[in-house]
Amino acid sequence: MENSSFSLQGRRILLVISGGIAAYKSLDLIRRLKERGATVRCILTKGGAEFVTPLSVSSLSGEKVYDDLFSLTDEHEMGHIRLTRTADLAVVAPASANLIARLAQGRADDLASTTLLASDKPILVVPAMNAKMWQSEAVQANIAVLAARGTMLVRPGTGEMACGEVGEGRMAEVAEIVADIEKYFAQPGPLSGRRALVTSGPTHEPLDPVRFIGNRSSGKQGHAIAAALAREGAAVTLVTGPVALPDPAGIRTIHVQTAREMLEACEAALPADIAVCAAAVADWRPAEESAQKLKKGAAEPALRLVENPDILAMIAREGNIRPRLVVGFAAETEKADENARRKLAGKNCDWIVVNDVSGGAVFDADENKVTLLARDSAGKVVTESWDAMPKDDVARLLAARVSDHFKAA
Ligand code: C5P
């Protein structure tokens, strides 16, 4: 199978492996999905575990495997609800006649059926069974029930089966399943046709050819937001200061060093429908940049600073190129709410994402705890506090909010 691009970059797939000889093909499916950039989390049913081992599934997926032996601790760490909430698509492959029947009936008698019943995500079912079973009225009636509910199906193939009989029933080839999953994710998203500009990372303001003033921003949150908006269908331009992160796949990424370069790159990227300024722009830069490295021994240099342009305020300024939605960030060490409200009005943005950095824990961390402040059309400020969660989840939630905002408008 051709190892195509990162067509599934950042997509999260929940793969349910139920009982059937075809379960061995699911191991290859995991590899192919991961090659394309997806994360794959697996539930192995009791029947599935008769055909493939939890160890091979976890080795290939690089994730813990969830099965019916899950303990209370597992339920605490990753309950069945969270398993579906943290996925974009559930795939059942192979789907046995038994699991299909339980799905059709809405049963919740093991982890797989309970999770799928609680799922708020689309489900793709890939049946695998004996040809007579597949053709049976019972199975076809169950499939019809699932189809009527919007469950997607990859039809079984025809050929010789493990039992020696010939007919329709064997699980579709892995390439076909992958192609259907890619097709599903390639559909236009809620932000298709929209342009987004995202700033990320710190800026470095040079003192001399080797020294700079900067800050501890890693760019993780900004990059995750750019990727999340792209997954919702937006055409994203990411303007980033110096970070140790790879450019997100499929996103036009412009690298800059200083605030002035960032401003220039942002101006060139406008007009846009959405702007998210997550960069930690240095507020000041040295008034003079020495052409040569400053030497010790001479008089101690006096550092005179001048203020940098405010990129967010420039983007949010009223005028015919103002994006419809402008989102700023506020890293505050004290009076977070008060300062954020002032920033919201002072910089003329629509939303502010506030993180409390008083503990210093946000920089370079993978988790973030934020509060979203939104100014409605009447100027009223609505506050919403989110639980601590991975920066990637903050990004997904923010992107979903952006999509809702444009849907409602
Ligand atoms: O004023 P403060 O730096 O706290 O504001 C933070 C917000 O303003 C962030 O969204 C940041 O990206 C943006 N900002 C900017 N240009 C600056 C300073 C801040 O875009 N020079």
Side-chain angles (χ1 to χ4, degrees):
M1 190 188 303
E2 197 192 326
N3 176 5
S4 68
S5 56
F6 289 98
S7 53
L8 298 173
Q9 185 66 36
R11 306 297 187 180
R12 300 167 308 176
I13 294 165
L14 177 67
L15 176 64
V16 176
I17 304 173
S18 68
I21 186 72
Y24 78 92
K25 289 192 197 170
S26 305
L27 298 179
D28 191 35
L29 177 62
I30 297 170
R31 285 187 49 203
R32 302 306 167 195
L33 295 174
K34 287 200 52 148
E35 270 173 11
R36 286 161 175 74
T39 43
V40 186
R41 198 169 258 162
C42 298
I43 295 180
L44 192 56
T45 68
K46 215 162 147 221
E50 300 285 335
F51 293 91
V52 291
T53 68
L55 184 61
S56 42
V57 174
S58 67
S59 304
L60 284 167
S61 65
E63 301 265 345
K64 182 175 153 47
V65 176
Y66 297 85
D67 58 27
D68 281 316
L69 300 172
F70 73 111
S71 63
L72 277 178
T73 355
D74 282 345
E75 186 62 10
H76 171 70
E77 282 171 4
M78 175 56 73
H80 58 275
I81 304 285
R82 263 194 80 198
L83 272 173
T84 96
R85 298 299 178 269
T86 53
D88 302 312
L89 173 72
V91 177
V92 189
S96 64
N98 181 36
L99 183 54
I100 289 170
R102 289 189 291 129
L103 289 182
Q105 288 180 7
R107 298 187 83 94
D109 48 10
D110 67 354
L111 181 64
S113 58
T114 309
T115 305
L116 291 166
L117 188 62
S119 174
D120 60 345
K121 300 293 160 34
I123 301 173
L124 177 72
V125 164
V126 191
M129 65 196 74
N130 167 278
K132 293 279 180 300
M133 282 168 86
W134 172 248
Q135 282 153 8
S136 71
E137 268 183 48
V139 169
Q140 287 306 312
N142 288 334
I143 288 288
V145 167
L146 294 182
R149 279 185 210 144
T151 305
M152 298 175 285
L153 177 77
V154 186
R155 284 193 73 83
T158 306
E160 193 176 343
M161 276 171 281
C163 57
E165 291 185 15
V166 178
E168 194 186 7
R170 56 189 269 176
M171 186 163 98
E173 292 306 324
V174 169
E176 197 187 329
I177 304 168
V178 171
D180 277 18
I181 293 172
E182 286 179 321
K183 217 184 297 160
Y184 168 75
F185 282 116
Q187 293 176 92
L191 294 178
S192 291
R194 306 267 180 206
R195 287 168 57 123
L197 165 64
V198 179
T199 70
S200 183
T203 64
H204 284 180
E205 311 294 335
L207 276 160
D208 69 17
V210 296
R211 302 183 182 93
F212 60 84
I213 294 179
N215 59 61
R216 291 164 57 201
S217 168
S218 65
K220 281 182 185 167
Q221 188 63 80
H223 277 54
I225 291 167
L229 290 171
R231 283 192 299 267
E232 297 276 310
V236 180
T237 301
L238 172 64
V239 180
T240 177
V243 291
L245 302 172
D247 291 355
I251 291 176
R252 190 164 83 100
T253 305
I254 297 164
H255 294 266
V256 298
Q257 295 284 329
T258 67
R260 286 184 294 177
E261 288 168 8
M262 188 173 271
L263 175 64
E264 205 177 298
C266 287
E267 281 173 332
L270 292 174
D273 301 282
I274 305 142
V276 181
C277 293
V281 183
D283 291 316
W284 301 280
R285 65 175 182 277
E288 281 107 34
E289 179 188 347
S290 168
Q292 303 301 330
K293 187 179 168 192
L294 298 168
K295 287 293 188 197
K296 262 188 310 207
E300 279 171 3
L303 201 56
R304 201 167 64 81
L305 300 174
V306 291
E307 205 169 322
N308 264 331
D310 193 312
I311 299 163
L312 172 60
M314 185 289 295
I315 292 173
R317 204 172 43 205
E318 288 309 332
N320 53 9
I321 59 156
R322 187 188 191 280
R324 263 194 28 217
L325 183 67
V326 180
V327 185
F329 269 69
E332 301 291 344
T333 54
E334 57 173 351
K335 298 187 192 143
D337 187 71
E338 192 184 314
N339 288 335
R341 279 171 192 264
R342 194 171 324 119
K343 222 160 271 182
L344 196 57
K347 301 201 185 206
N348 194 39
C349 39
D350 303 292
W351 300 354
I352 287 262
V353 181
V354 194
N355 36 28
D356 183 350
V357 292
S358 51
V362 174
F363 299 107
D364 210 33
D366 291 321
E367 285 234 329
N368 205 357
K369 163 106 185 72
V370 308
T371 305
L372 181 67
L373 268 77
R375 205 157 45 129
D376 66 17
S377 50
K380 196 169 150 273
V381 179
V382 187
T383 306
E384 205 182 288
S385 209
W386 295 353
D387 291 341
M389 58 180 100
K391 285 182 175 169
D392 195 36
D393 290 351
V394 170
R396 286 171 197 271
L397 207 49
L398 188 68
R401 285 301 152 86
V402 172
S403 294
D404 290 347
H405 178 80
F406 279 90
K407 247 183 258 160

